[in-house]
Every structure is written in structure tokens, then in C-alpha cells.
Amino acid sequence: MEPIIHIENVHKHFGRIHALRGVSLDVHKGEVVVIIGPSGSGKSTLLRCINRLEEYDAGRIVVDGIPLDSAQNISAVRREIGMVFQSFNLFAHLTAMENLTLAQRVVRKRSRGESEKIALELLEKVGIPDKAGAYPIQLSGGQQQRVAIARALAMNPKIMLFDEPTSALDPEMIKEVLDVMLALASEGMTMVVVSHEMGFARAAAKRIILIDEGQIIEEAAPEKLFASSHERTRQFLSKVLHM
Amino acid sequence: MEGQPKPRPSRSKLFYIPGAESFTRMDPWWGLVVLVVGLAVTLVTVKADPFLRILLFVRDGVAVTAFITVSAFMFTLVLGMIGGLGRLSRNWVIHGVATLYVEIVRGIPLLVQLIWWYFAFPVVIQGIGRWLNFTAMANYQSNAIFTAVTGLTICYGAYMSEIYRAGIQSIPKGQGEAARSLGMTHFQSMRHVVLPQAVRVVLPPVGNEFIALLKDSCLVSVVAVADLTRRGREFMAVHFNPIEVWTMVALLYLVMTLFLARLVSWVEKKTHFER
């Protein structure tokens, strides 16, 4: 089967730093892939290359059959990919409801009524329909992140990218976000998740990918990776699993 | 439905009184406006000669000053937006032109710029007109009010460009990234996400420029515009009573600037949001 995300030998430089050194990766429809690695390893950069928030210098990325090579194609791909950020990035001047409806109306050209109906359903789904009229500043971190997930889902994406979605959250709020992500995974959403939440990886991931210094060190199913004999993998896992 | 925005939390819970949020409460500094207006009215009634005579003489100058300031400010808002976006453009030609404009204009005193537009610019146009054998251009004459408004606009447009640029840059990059990740184009993300937030950030400095523009508008009196300052000078030239004339003129400027300051602060509170 044709992979929904095809990454082929991608290189990326930030000035003199070689952030991605020939990364290749295929993600299939319905798959949940978790990317782990030390900070500065290039895992977020790789994720951001998939919807071209980051430009890459060499290599090829094809999403759902569309190569990321022209402005038109990039827009087309971005419409199919939802992204959730570490710092939520809710539009600060809009209410939760308006955060969910803006892109639906501007990009998908839906009517106000239709987009509000979809927005309410999604706020229901992430468990905060009563916060529709609240501004981001009035929401807790966990609530903001759930609104951000709902905002991405409102565009009916085929793929969801998560860039350390729980790293900026207090411990008691991590679970409410992970629960939403788990529900999404069980519905068959294709997800690429940069996260060190090993509990989530164990429960939902089909594969875990360890990246270090811009290269894929190892990729395997969670249980296999946790039992890996690879030196670098053991070293890193001992830190995130507190073993 | 729930779409109704709830009242936003005020900065300090300690002094929170329902219904007396900062954006509904009367601004106490209106008192200063009343005080200054009161002082002017007292002078005019108690000592009608010369204060009332001065006031009646310069009142058309007040109208000219207000007209020049308001129209130049409106154009400045537009020019500043264009200049600010130009300064942030990744197209090096647009960026270069915008930067050149800002650097040149803010490096020349406003008074010199106004004099140049009024006295030198027409000569340049006439020269080009004669060279092209184009009569309309060869006979070009400066229009005082037009020169004043364009001169102020060009100068303050440069300052405003820098304010807009800083305002746009102050919005976290993640806002634009989130917008683009949802499929919005660069233009849509500017229009719906970045600029609405940037406008609120720049309101205080833009208001400040408005007031500065009002004061600097007195410089147009050197290019034959009969504004408040020039009318004051005309009155003094005849009656030679500097204390009364310039006290009255100063009070009139003060009434206008204080009123503007209140207006700006009212707009700021109306559009305030916490991030």
C-alpha cells in the first residue's frame, strides 16, 4: 500500500548546524508513530517539515500522493494535515469558538452556521463545550490544548501532527490531553507524535522512532524498542523511562 | 448561544468591583481636560479684552490645525501599514524601498522636509515640465494645505512604519504558524490572525504619534498655512501682546492634545484584551 506520508532522504541545515541528516520514513494510513529523541535531535524539525512549516534543503516529502514542491501543493497538503503545538498557539484575540470556526470559514469556505455546528460537536468531543465563549487566557493549559486539537480536527484532516503536545502542561492536565489523543488514535486517525509520554506510546503507537543528531537511530514497535539492545537506544530510554 | 464573550478578568482581582471594570469606569484624567477648558473659558470671560479677541481671531486657525492633523493622521495610518509590511517583506526590492524610505525620512528634520516640499519640490517639477514641454507641469505651483498634509504624512508615515513593524514582530511566531498549518495563506494569516492582534499592540504608540503629529503640525505655519500658530503670530504682529497671545495659543493646543490623549486611552480600553 502507498504510504500516506513518504519522507525520503531529507536534509535540513540551520546555518552551520546540520539538523536533519538524510532522514527517510514512511507512515501508512491509520498508523500512529511516536518520535522520541533528546532535545536538539531534530525530531520537531522533521515533524515541521511534513507540513512545510520548515523548509528542507534536500530530499523529498510526499503527502497523500502530493509532493511538497510548489506553493499550491503546500497549501493543499496543509489543508489535509492538522497540527498541534507545544505552546498551543490558540489565536489570542478570539474565543474558543472563533478559534475553531475561523479557518473553516476562511479556508474551507463553510458558512458561519455550519462551522459553528461542527465546532460545538468537536468541543463536545474534547470535553469542554461549556468553554465555547472563553478566551484562551481564561482557559487552563490542558483546556487550551484540547481546544487546539479540536481546532485542527475541524478542518477534517487526514493526518494529525503533534509537536510535544503535553510538554508545557502541568502533570494533572497531561492525562486529559492524552485521553483525547488516545480516543483519536482508536478512531483510526493517522498520527505522528513527537512526545516522551511512553505510556501513550505503549498504548497507541505502532512504531516508535528514535532520532539523534538528525538521524534515525532505531525504529521498532514499542515493546521491541523498550527491549532493544542498541547502545544509544538503551542510554536514551533509561532517561525517559526512569529505569 | 454560548458564543457571548464573558466579561474579561481585570488585571487586579484585589480592587475588583463588579460593574466598575477599568473599561467602563470614567477615566479620572478627564478632570484635567475640564480644568484646562475651564481656565481658558475663565480667561475669555473675565478678561475678554484681549483673550476673547484673540480667540475669535485664531479660531479659523484651530480649524485648519485640526483639519491638517486629522487628515494627515488618516493617511499616515495607511502609509505606515504599507511601510511596516514592506519592511517585513521577504522580497528584497520591497524591503529595500521601504527601508530606504524610513531611513531617509527619519534622518531629516520635519521642518526642513516641509520647506523642501513647499519651496524646492515645485521648482523640480517646473524644470521637468519645461524639459518635457508639458505646460501643466511647467506652471506647477505649491498648494500650502496640500503640501502641509502630504509633508506631514510622508514624515509620520516613516515613524508609523517602524511602529507597525515592531507591532507585527511582537506577535509570537506560533500564531502565524498555527494559521498556516490550518491551510491559511500568508495573506489570510496576516489579515485574520496577526494584524488584528498587532493593531491592539500598537495602539498606545500610534496614539502617541497622533498627539505628536498635532503638535508638530505647528511647523506648517512656515509654509504659508494659516494654522493656529500662524494666526497667533499674525495677531501678535498687530497688537504686540506676546503673553496673552501665546498663553491663549498654548491653552488651545493643550485642550486639543489632552482631549486626544483621553480619546486614545478610551479606544485602548475598548479594544484591550489579555494574552
Side-chain angles (χ1 to χ4, degrees):
Chain A
M1 196 176 74
E2 191 69 1
I4 193 162
I5 302 172
H6 175 67
I7 301 171
E8 194 181 307
N9 198 25
V10 164
H11 286 264
K12 166 76 187 174
H13 295 259
F14 288 109
R16 285 159 67 185
I17 297 161
H18 200 165
L20 294 177
R21 305 166 183 241
V23 175
S24 296
L25 175 69
D26 280 346
V27 179
H28 290 275
K29 199 169 182 335
E31 225 184 349
V32 176
V33 173
V34 171
I35 302 175
I36 60 175
S39 67
S41 60
K43 51 191 193 309
S44 285
T45 307
L46 177 64
L47 195 74
R48 291 161 58 86
C49 282
I50 298 175
N51 67 351
R52 207 56 194 284
L53 280 183
E54 214 71 76
E55 283 178 35
Y56 45 90
D57 307 321
R60 218 164 83 89
I61 297 182
V62 183
V63 177
D64 202 17
I66 306 169
L68 284 177
D69 52 10
S70 68
Q72 222 167 12
N73 282 0
I74 290 168
S75 300
V77 162
R78 281 184 184 154
R79 281 195 289 272
E80 307 309 324
I81 301 181
M83 185 154 187
V84 176
F85 301 85
Q86 180 178 355
S87 49
F88 328 132
N89 293 347
L90 288 182
F91 304 137
H93 62 307
L94 300 177
T95 62
M97 170 62 80
E98 290 161 344
N99 262 278
L100 264 69
T101 55
L102 177 63
Q104 292 190 63
R105 296 173 60 192
V106 172
V107 179
R108 290 272 190 241
K109 311 286 179 207
R110 289 176 188 151
S111 70
R112 177 187 289 269
E114 190 192 359
S115 56
E116 281 182 352
K117 188 168 156 281
I118 293 169
L120 262 183
E121 280 166 16
L122 284 166
L123 286 175
E124 196 98 40
K125 182 173 172 170
V126 299
I128 37 176
D130 52 321
K131 296 291 181 189
Y135 285 87
I137 186 83
Q138 297 167 307
L139 300 172
S140 73
Q143 290 170 334
Q144 287 192 50
Q145 194 60 298
R146 285 186 283 158
V147 172
I149 294 173
R151 175 176 71 178
L153 292 175
M155 303 297 286
N156 307 104
K158 293 178 179 159
I159 301 163
M160 286 285 284
L161 307 178
F162 293 83
D163 189 3
E164 308 207 27
T166 57
S167 302
L169 295 177
D170 291 338
E172 68 261 37
M173 291 170 184
I174 290 176
K175 189 178 175 297
E176 62 188 51
V177 171
L178 289 181
D179 286 345
V180 171
M181 290 169 64
L182 281 169
L184 209 54
S186 70
E187 289 167 18
M189 175 65 79
T190 309
M191 293 162 68
V192 182
V193 184
V194 171
S195 175
H196 291 155
E197 292 297 333
M198 288 302 130
F200 171 81
R202 202 187 293 264
K206 190 168 167 216
R207 273 187 294 159
I208 297 182
I209 290 160
L210 174 67
I211 293 190
D212 192 20
E213 292 180 345
Q215 283 174 315
I216 294 182
I217 302 292
E218 191 171 1
E219 58 173 290
E223 296 312 325
K224 258 172 116 177
L225 191 95
F226 293 152
S228 168
S229 58
H230 195 294
E231 171 68 19
R232 186 72 189 87
T233 308
R234 294 222 60 77
Q235 209 183 4
F236 180 74
L237 284 179
S238 74
K239 285 174 193 152
V240 292
L241 293 176
H242 313 292
M243 287 195 302
Chain B
M1 45 169 271
E2 295 96 308
Q4 296 293 320
K6 292 170 185 169
R8 300 164 193 195
S10 73
R11 265 179 208 287
S12 161
K13 289 270 182 294
L14 194 61
F15 299 106
Y16 182 77
I17 304 159
E21 290 84 352
S22 58
F23 49 86
T24 56
R25 193 173 48 214
M26 184 74 180
D27 177 353
W29 287 99
W30 277 109
L32 188 59
V33 181
V34 174
L35 199 76
V36 175
V37 171
L39 183 58
V41 170
T42 311
L43 283 178
V44 165
T45 44
V46 172
K47 209 164 177 298
D49 186 29
F51 285 108
L52 184 60
R53 278 173 53 215
I54 296 170
L55 181 64
L56 292 176
F57 187 82
V58 301
R59 65 181 170 184
D60 50 352
V62 173
V64 169
T65 289
F67 170 78
I68 288 175
T69 304
V70 171
S71 40
F73 180 67
M74 295 300 170
F75 291 126
T76 299
L77 285 179
V78 179
L79 187 62
M81 175 76 83
I82 296 168
L85 288 171
R87 290 272 281 155
L88 291 169
S89 172
R90 275 193 283 176
N91 178 321
W92 70 269
V93 178
I94 297 175
H95 174 85
V97 170
T99 306
L100 194 68
Y101 160 63
V102 170
E103 292 296 339
I104 288 180
V105 165
R106 74 175 171 185
I108 302 171
L110 174 56
L111 184 56
V112 175
Q113 288 184 41
L114 288 170
I115 293 172
W116 195 89
W117 288 119
Y118 190 66
F119 294 105
F121 182 66
V123 181
V124 174
I125 294 292
Q126 287 159 14
I128 297 172
R130 273 195 299 277
W131 185 58
L132 292 173
N133 246 332
F134 189 52
T135 336
M137 268 173 90
N139 295 333
Y140 177 79
Q141 293 294 328
S142 286
N143 172 302
I145 296 270
F146 177 77
T147 305
V149 172
T150 42
L152 286 171
T153 301
I154 288 170
C155 181
Y156 270 77
Y159 303 155
M160 211 68 100
S161 298
E162 287 300 89
I163 291 174
Y164 274 113
R165 180 182 64 82
I168 292 168
Q169 282 178 328
S170 78
I171 304 305
K173 258 174 66 187
Q175 296 282 309
E177 283 183 353
R180 278 179 286 133
S181 80
L182 290 164
M184 286 189 217
T185 61
H186 178 73
F187 176 80
Q188 288 169 332
S189 109
M190 272 286 168
R191 155 92 180 68
H192 295 286
V193 176
V194 178
L195 287 180
Q197 295 183 55
V199 162
R200 288 168 227 208
V201 173
V202 302
L203 253 170
V206 164
N208 204 34
E209 289 298 292
F210 196 2
I211 293 162
L213 177 61
L214 172 64
K215 290 183 292 174
D216 275 356
S217 76
C218 75
L219 293 173
V220 303
S221 61
V222 301
V223 294
V225 176
D227 75 327
L228 175 52
T229 302
R230 193 182 177 92
R231 293 295 280 162
R233 228 164 35 200
E234 284 168 8
F235 190 89
M236 197 188 68
V238 179
H239 304 277
F240 204 72
N241 40 2
I243 295 178
E244 291 85 352
V245 172
W246 294 113
T247 303
M248 195 66 212
V249 168
L251 273 176
L252 288 171
Y253 272 114
L254 196 55
V255 167
M256 287 193 277
T257 51
L258 289 176
F259 178 77
L260 264 187
R262 279 2 305 147
L263 191 70
V264 168
S265 124
W266 179 76
V267 173
E268 257 174 57
K269 279 174 185 159
K270 275 281 167 198
T271 56
H272 175 75
F273 75 103
E274 298 197 35
R275 50 173 322 125

